[in-house]
Amino acid sequence: AYDLRQRRHSILRNFPVIGHARYVLEEVGPELRQYIVTSNTEERPFDRDQRRWIYASSKRENNYFAFGTSRDLETSPNYFIIKHSPFPLPAPVPGDRDYDDQYRIPAAKVVGAARDREHAFRPASVINVSAMSYGALSSNAITALNQGAAIAGCLHNTGEGGVSPYHQQGGELIWQLGTGYFGARDAHGRFDLGRLVETAAANPVRAIEVKLSQGAKPGLGGVLPAAKITEEISRIRGVPRDRDCISPAAHPEFHDVDSLLDFVERIAAATGLPVGIKSAIGEPSLWSDLADAMVSGERGVDFITVDGGEGGTGAGPLVFTDQVALPFKLGFSRVYTEFAKRGIADRVVFIGSGKLGFPHESTLAFGLGCDMVN
């Protein structure tokens, strides 16, 4: 009787019994496909074999696979192959001086050295934690990530949500500034350089990253619903609690390459920290213009984080997550080429981001020219 009288679902109104069966099948469809239909290598964004490797590795269980690869090595046109050496280096053994540090590979470049930043530094790890804000992630999640970063000796990117107490668990930070300037804004929402300097000095911030866009929602700002804004988040971000927290699409502080570089140098001069940018790759003129502007050496960014269009987020419009911005391999190649052609690639630390957490993806990123990966 309810199905026949309600007007929200036409299927249930016309076919009340079959309609419910349809919705049940639709609800359990992903599980049916996961366990019955798809193979171990078909799912996205991470397939079953990849998830199994991650879980086993994180639990220190057996992460070896038997009977060789199940991948199609010969007919797949874009299959990635690593050419191994016939004379590999010997692996450290327990008791050797280098045994505990065998997986700690420092960056080859010193971040900020090319611009003589006061607090230039060499990152202790080429593999670091990518950006995800407190607010999008819980306090427990941020705490765990930062504690893990401290154990691994790597950098933890804060995301654009500001620096929280949960980022102070021993891991060193890259503080990301989005268009909302959370944690570095005044009462009217405008960028506040004084507050930025104060916050950076009070926390283990090693560098500042100005986010132009991210792979999962390039060209869009962020949204944190009012229901998720606690008193603590409101205080950290400097936003009211009675409305959604909206990051605009564009930065109010600059509008082109020239004003972007002025903004970067202004922050670097006030803090002494290396300052870089993060972006998904779309219109190519940005990168040719930026490389041209940096040839003279008078102004410049210290690092560039390239995010692939396959990057993740808490939420984003489907058309943006699926169709906007180049995938990492294409996007990074185009950016790096602009700086290499002008002979200034050595002045910039290049960081890759966008589902590069697997060994083969990181290896490819390094081969393309990345100095570090997130």
Side-chain angles (χ1 to χ4, degrees), residues 6-250:
Q6 60 83 32
R7 295 182 177 274
R8 290 174 55 85
H9 300 286
S10 59
I11 290 178
L12 294 180
R13 183 177 174 87
N14 291 304
F15 309 102
V17 176
I18 297 176
H20 279 289
R22 175 258 173 103
Y23 285 124
V24 169
L25 288 174
E26 199 173 61
E27 184 73 20
V28 300
E31 286 77 13
L32 292 174
R33 289 190 295 273
Q34 177 179 355
Y35 294 107
I36 298 176
V37 180
T38 60
S39 75
N40 286 353
T41 61
E42 286 182 335
E43 294 172 317
R44 296 291 182 271
F46 303 110
D47 63 44
R48 194 176 302 135
D49 279 349
Q50 291 172 326
R51 295 198 306 273
R52 173 186 158 195
W53 179 80
I54 291 171
Y55 297 151
S57 299
S58 66
K59 297 173 183 177
R60 299 182 183 274
E61 297 175 351
N62 177 21
N63 61 359
Y64 290 90
F65 286 65
F67 303 111
T69 181
S70 58
R71 309 272 175 169
D72 184 356
L73 306 188
E74 295 182 348
T75 61
S76 178
N78 294 314
Y79 193 80
F80 173 57
I81 299 292
I82 298 173
K83 296 188 291 185
H84 65 285
S85 168
F87 308 109
L89 297 173
V93 296
D96 286 355
R97 182 183 62 181
D98 298 328
Y99 181 74
D100 291 336
D101 293 328
Q102 62 178 312
Y103 302 114
R104 298 177 186 267
I105 305 174
K109 293 177 182 174
V110 176
V111 183
R115 307 252 350 115
D116 293 324
R117 305 300 189 199
E118 180 183 354
H119 299 301
F121 71 105
R122 185 188 302 278
S125 172
V126 294
I127 299 175
N128 302 284
V129 180
S130 194
M132 197 69 171
S133 303
Y134 171 55
L137 292 182
S138 70
S139 58
N140 287 343
I142 295 295
T143 297
L145 286 172
N146 196 256
Q147 289 177 349
I151 294 169
C154 68
L155 296 166
H156 180 191
N157 193 305
T158 65
E160 65 176 303
V163 182
S164 73
Y166 312 106
H167 288 103
Q168 302 173 17
Q169 307 300 313
E172 295 183 328
L173 305 175
I174 292 182
W175 181 9
Q176 186 182 90
L177 282 182
T179 56
Y181 305 123
F182 300 127
R185 53 192 265 155
D186 61 21
H188 303 288
R190 296 186 295 259
F191 176 67
D192 186 336
L193 182 61
R195 188 173 180 195
L196 180 141
V197 172
E198 181 181 304
T199 301
N203 293 279
V205 175
R206 300 304 304 273
I208 293 175
E209 180 180 83
V210 180
K211 189 182 86 168
L212 305 183
S213 65
Q214 70 183 77
K217 47 186 179 185
L220 286 181
V223 177
L224 185 67
K228 293 186 69 175
I229 303 176
T230 64
E231 181 179 346
E232 185 178 44
I233 292 175
S234 173
R235 183 175 64 255
I236 292 169
R237 295 197 178 195
V239 298
R241 297 187 60 189
D242 59 350
R243 70 198 74 156
D244 292 345
C245 178
I246 306 293
S247 305

